[in-house]
Amino acid sequence: MEELFLINGGKILSGKVNVEASKNAYLPILAGTILCDGEVIFHNVPNFTDIHNMCEILKRLNVKLFSSGEFLKLDTTNVKNEKITHELTNKLRASIFLLGAMLGKFRQAVISYPGGCNIGQRPIDIHLNAFKSLGVKVIEKHGYIYCNASNMKAGKVTFSSVSVGATESLMMCTCLLKGRTTLCNVAKEPEIVELARFLNAMGADVQGAGTDVIEINGVPKLQGGTFKVFPDRIIAGTYLILGALCGQKLQINGFKKEHNEYLLNILKETACEIVEKNDNIIISANGRNKACRFLETAPFPNFPTDLQPQIMTLESVANGTCVLKENVFENRFNHVMELNKMGADILVKDRIAVISGVEKLYGADVFATDLRAGAGLVLAGLIADGYTTVHNVHFIDRGYEKFEEKLSSIGADIKRIKIE
Ligand code: UD1
């Protein structure tokens, strides 16, 4: 059965939207519960398929999960060191976090290669090389990664390049390791700070998250506890861009402005009107936006690659030309062909897209190729003349909860259609 969104574009959107908890913070944290002895209770777990898939793997590892509308409880008392098969990992890039967590807990793990969004090759060499530098034996054969960390020793790890996932893997792998581990050239994303906050709340000693160097003083055990994760900065950013495109006093609630500072500064240079309150923003479109002349994606605190497709939709109808460079992933322009089907004028060469703003997009039949590309196409459909059909909605469900219901509640004409 295929699910698609049917959008009748051109509506003005107003009202209030709440931002769910961060998917990319929750994924490593859920994997990290393996390190804890006892029960961990989360209070705001979002309903995304990526989260379900992570929970499914944890269940296979004999973690007991209990979910009510209010909270998710995980009991890791009887967690088992099982081989994690391709059938489980291929749905989720974040399954790689289980490797770090299992090595931290059991000093041994076998896992198949991770799947995930098709936005580039997405190798895991930085994770594996970092494990190796601490003495972990890594053998890759028949599609599996066999790791033995019985001789793992605390020490210094310098990452060859900045990786969010590898930083998180190493934090989990070393927080129960005797001695001090120093991680250099780490990523500084807010999700890393959140993982450190979680591990520390459970008894770990992780210092420096959010800077270039993280120090981990190994502790003998982590306990259980309760935790609440911060709001998703990419969802907040998606709604902010939507507001700049077609909002009328669109209020985005419950997110941290400091996580979206770069985007907010870009939006302030366009024509939209922004009113900032404590933890919300009210945004209204105000005619045609001025094109941002040059923009490039880069690790936090710079412009996030996960908002690149959405900002491309904004630029595709802006007044002027925008040169947009994708520095993080080598294959993250799959949405360009789809936007061009809708009347956009975008040329791509290698990692650079030249977007010549057009007055209007028009409805078309388009295909999401990954999660954020899908979000960018939904935004395009919402401002286009006529009907747009966005296929492959399953990608969007990975990181947006009932997106069509939220958008309908602020005035969008969007329906989920199921086709046998
Ligand atoms: C995380 C986010 C993802 C976001 C990305 C960049 C999660 C679950 N996902 O992904 O949404 O787009 O950060 O902000 O948090 N690389 C290697 N070898 C490795 C690891 C990474 O070459 O072992 C490369 C990647 O292919 C990419 C770059 O390094 O080109 C950055 O990737 P990384 O920061 O690791 O992203 P993820 O953790 O996979």
Side-chain angles (χ1 to χ4, degrees), residues 1 12 38 67 70 87-88 106-107 132 144 150 154 162 167 201 212-213 233 259 282 295-296 300 322 353 372 377-378:
M1 190 176 60
I12 302 287
S67 163
E70 310 268 299
E87 167 225 348
L88 294 170
F106 300 112
R107 300 284 186 263
K132 285 181 199 166
Y144 280 87
S150 47
V162 176
T167 304
D212 290 317
V213 179
R233 64 193 169 100
H259 291 173
I282 300 171
L295 181 59
E296 59 185 331
F300 190 81
C322 170
R372 307 301 172 186
L377 292 175
V378 169

Side-chain angles (χ1 to χ4, degrees), residues 150-371:
S150 47
N151 291 323
M152 178 165 64
K153 297 259 176 326
K156 183 173 170 184
V157 177
T158 303
F159 292 104
S160 53
S161 64
V162 176
S163 158
V164 177
T167 304
E168 292 167 334
S169 285
L170 267 287
M171 286 161 71
M172 290 191 275
C173 167
T174 57
C175 64
L176 295 177
L177 183 63
K178 198 169 165 208
R180 173 179 296 184
T181 302
T182 308
L183 307 178
C184 302
N185 195 26
V186 296
K188 298 192 277 267
E189 267 61 8
E191 291 74 16
I192 286 165
V193 180
E194 197 68 342
L195 175 62
R197 199 171 70 85
F198 167 74
L199 294 170
N200 289 344
M202 302 302 138
D205 181 358
V206 179
Q207 307 301 328
T211 72
D212 290 317
V213 179
I214 295 179
E215 287 213 328
I216 298 139
N217 297 301
V219 296
K221 64 178 264 184
L222 300 189
Q223 74 266 1
T226 50
F227 199 76
K228 196 172 168 189
V229 162
F230 65 48
D232 193 303
R233 64 193 169 100
I234 304 303
I235 296 180
T238 304
Y239 286 126
L240 285 169
I241 294 170
L242 181 63
L245 280 164
C246 58
Q248 197 42 250
K249 295 202 168 127
L250 180 67
Q251 182 170 329
I252 301 139
N253 289 333
F255 73 102
K256 289 181 181 278
K257 268 170 260 166
E258 63 271 27
H259 291 173
N260 281 98
E261 212 168 294
Y262 203 102
L263 172 65
L264 281 167
N265 286 337
I266 293 173
L267 295 181
K268 282 173 189 163
E269 296 291 309
T270 64
C272 64
E273 285 169 10
I274 297 175
V275 179
E276 298 194 33
K277 294 237 176 92
N278 300 337
D279 69 341
N280 73 45
I281 280 195
I282 300 171
I283 184 161
S284 304
N286 184 15
R288 203 167 166 202
N289 287 298
K290 200 170 95 190
C292 175
R293 291 175 61 178
F294 179 73
L295 181 59
E296 59 185 331
T297 63
F300 190 81
N302 295 305
F303 188 75
T305 175
D306 286 353
L307 285 175
Q308 182 256 100
Q310 299 89 319
I311 201 91
M312 192 179 280
T313 297
L314 183 81
E315 296 302 331
S316 69
V317 288
N319 196 356
T321 299
C322 170
V323 175
L324 178 50
K325 187 167 181 224
E326 172 55 59
N327 289 310
V328 182
F329 292 106
E330 71 278 13
N331 185 24
R332 201 166 200 177
F333 281 142
N334 290 328
H335 44 286
V336 167
M337 198 171 85
E338 306 306 297
L339 284 173
N340 282 346
K341 279 193 210 164
M342 300 178 74
D345 180 357
I346 307 169
L347 285 173
V348 170
K349 177 111 175 54
D350 303 324
R351 284 173 176 239
I352 292 183
V354 179
I355 309 154
S356 306
V358 295
E359 297 248 349
K360 266 259 149 232
L361 296 181
Y362 44 84
D365 210 17
V366 292
F367 292 78
T369 48
D370 64 77
L371 163 60

